[in-house]
Amino acid sequence: MTPSASEQIIAAAFERELIHVPFEKLAPLYVVTPQTKATVKYGQVVASIREIGLVEPLVVARDRHDTQLYTLLDGHLRLEALRDIGETATQCIISTDDEAYTYNKRINRLATIQEHKMILRALTLGVPEERLASALNVNIRTLQEKRRLLDGICGEAAELLKDKQVALTGFRILKKMKPLRQIEAAQLMVAMNKYTINYARSLLAATPENQLVAGAKPKKIKGISREQLELMENESANLERQVRLVEDSYGIDHLDLVLARGYVAKLVSNERITKYLALHHEEFLPEFERITEREAFAP
């Protein structure tokens, strides 16, 4: 008797207990380069571990041939940081899925607004600003700006950007706009999947003065008139609408393409049909073959 959906047991993605693993038992999937270790992000990892310890354990999978060895799936920067501060072993969580590529694809990096909320939470719990700044490897002024990140940002715009990687300067630029324009700018960023400072500046430059807060003026761009900026703004809005229309029908269109490809592949695999096409519709056969040669329609 086949068990019902409620009776089926879902396999756990991780083993229940953390384990203490010496570094010599770990096999990283890649080497952390000196260029990576020179980045601000790596410096923040080192400073955080030195100041408050390892918060998130490394994720490993047991070696299929030697159960005393482990493949490191996630935490390569943390491993290097631990080595740099003199550690020789660390806490690890064991994954039951050793497909590192798919595992890493599930990871969501901390977005700017999420970091802001984490800072507020830490300060609420009584963590001193100096210690928190040291853990994040930033100065006090930057920490305070991260704490005040959403001051002057309307709730709707913040909701749109809550899981996006937007620089602090990007939020400074948005604060120069009135709430409705902030929402429009955030929608454009999401639709175009562009969160760069230069794109935020271009949106500010294309913002009419009556949609700016008092005293805020965009930096004038040499060689571009206000009329040209307004035209750019209108074109951006039109492009956003077109992108949204494509997004609405993309899933159905992609499914139709996949089904059509499968049907054409079956036709071409039939010897009688290919002979008929070669004799009576010679121009179609090469096109059908090109369609079937493609592995899939990439999103």
Side-chain angles (χ1 to χ4, degrees):
M1 181 178 177
T2 304
S4 66
S6 60
E7 293 172 334
Q8 292 177 353
I9 298 174
I10 300 174
F14 302 97
E15 294 185 10
R16 290 180 177 274
E17 301 296 329
L18 292 176
I19 60 171
H20 204 66
V21 181
F23 292 160
E24 63 267 19
K25 300 288 187 180
L26 292 175
L29 292 174
Y30 62 87
V31 176
V32 178
T33 64
Q35 291 81 2
T36 300
K37 296 179 74 169
T39 61
V40 173
K41 179 181 177 181
Y42 182 77
Q44 290 177 334
V45 173
V46 175
S48 176
I49 293 175
R50 182 181 287 117
E51 187 67 28
I52 60 177
L54 185 67
V55 175
E56 185 180 359
L58 278 58
V59 180
V60 300
R62 294 187 188 275
D63 189 280
R64 293 180 181 180
H65 306 290
D66 187 343
T67 57
Q68 298 303 310
L69 299 178
Y70 303 88
T71 300
L72 179 62
L73 300 181
D74 180 61
H76 290 73
L77 293 186
R78 278 168 278 156
L79 175 61
E80 285 301 310
L82 287 165
R83 281 177 171 154
D84 284 351
I85 63 177
E87 298 292 333
T88 58
T90 187
Q91 293 286 96
C92 297
I93 184 171
I94 302 177
S95 171
T96 57
D97 176 10
D98 63 355
E99 294 182 14
Y101 176 77
T102 56
Y103 177 83
N104 287 333
K105 291 288 281 185
R106 299 184 192 115
I107 297 173
N108 292 320
R109 302 302 176 188
L110 196 64
T112 312
I113 290 179
Q114 292 169 341
E115 183 187 33
H116 155 77
K117 291 181 178 179
M118 179 197 74
I119 289 171
L120 287 183
R121 175 65 175 164
L123 293 172
T124 301
L125 292 174
V127 178
E129 283 190 347
E130 294 78 8
R131 186 179 180 190
L132 192 55
S134 177
L136 296 174
N137 199 29
V138 298
N139 58 43
I140 294 292
R141 183 176 177 182
T142 301
L143 178 72
Q144 291 172 343
E145 185 174 4
K146 288 175 180 283
R147 185 190 66 193
R148 297 190 299 267
L149 181 76
L150 297 183
D151 292 356
I153 300 292
C154 72
E156 292 85 348
E159 180 66 21
L160 287 166
L161 301 175
K162 66 180 180 181
D163 58 350
K164 311 302 181 186
Q165 294 288 349
V166 184
L168 284 176
T169 303
F171 282 99
R172 286 194 214 114
I173 293 169
L174 287 175
K175 290 177 184 181
K176 296 181 180 181
M177 307 174 190
K178 290 183 179 179
L180 287 177
R181 178 56 181 166
Q182 286 181 9
I183 297 170
E184 289 179 357
Q187 289 173 337
L188 281 168
M189 287 179 171
V190 173
M192 301 302 295
N193 195 29
K194 292 187 70 174
Y195 307 99
T196 63
I197 295 171
N198 285 338
Y199 187 62
R201 284 173 177 158
S202 70
L203 292 173
L204 178 65
T207 301
E209 290 188 14
N210 62 359
Q211 294 185 36
L212 297 174
V213 299
K217 286 189 177 181
K219 185 178 180 181
K220 291 185 178 180
I221 303 174
K222 294 182 179 179
I224 299 180
S225 64
R226 167 54 57 182
E227 290 74 18
Q228 289 173 317
L229 287 172
E230 290 177 355
L231 179 61
M232 289 166 57
E233 165 67 6
N234 290 333
E235 289 299 321
S236 294
N238 289 333
L239 184 58
E240 179 195 6
R241 285 192 289 272
Q242 292 172 16
V243 169
R244 291 186 181 278
L245 288 173
V246 171
E247 285 179 342
D248 290 340
S249 62
Y250 175 79
I252 296 174
D253 292 343
H254 188 264
L255 178 59
D256 289 342
L257 285 171
V258 172
L259 293 174
R261 176 188 174 275
Y263 178 71
V264 171
K266 284 186 177 181
L267 290 178
V268 175
S269 65
N270 188 306
E271 187 177 351
R272 292 178 61 189
I273 293 177
T274 54
K275 285 182 178 179
Y276 177 85
L277 290 173
L279 286 172
H280 302 285
H281 300 283
E282 186 179 355
E283 70 278 12
F284 292 155
L285 189 57
E287 296 299 325
F288 286 167
E289 288 176 343
R290 270 196 285 271
I291 291 172
T292 58
E293 284 170 1
R294 297 185 180 184
E295 292 295 327
F297 293 95

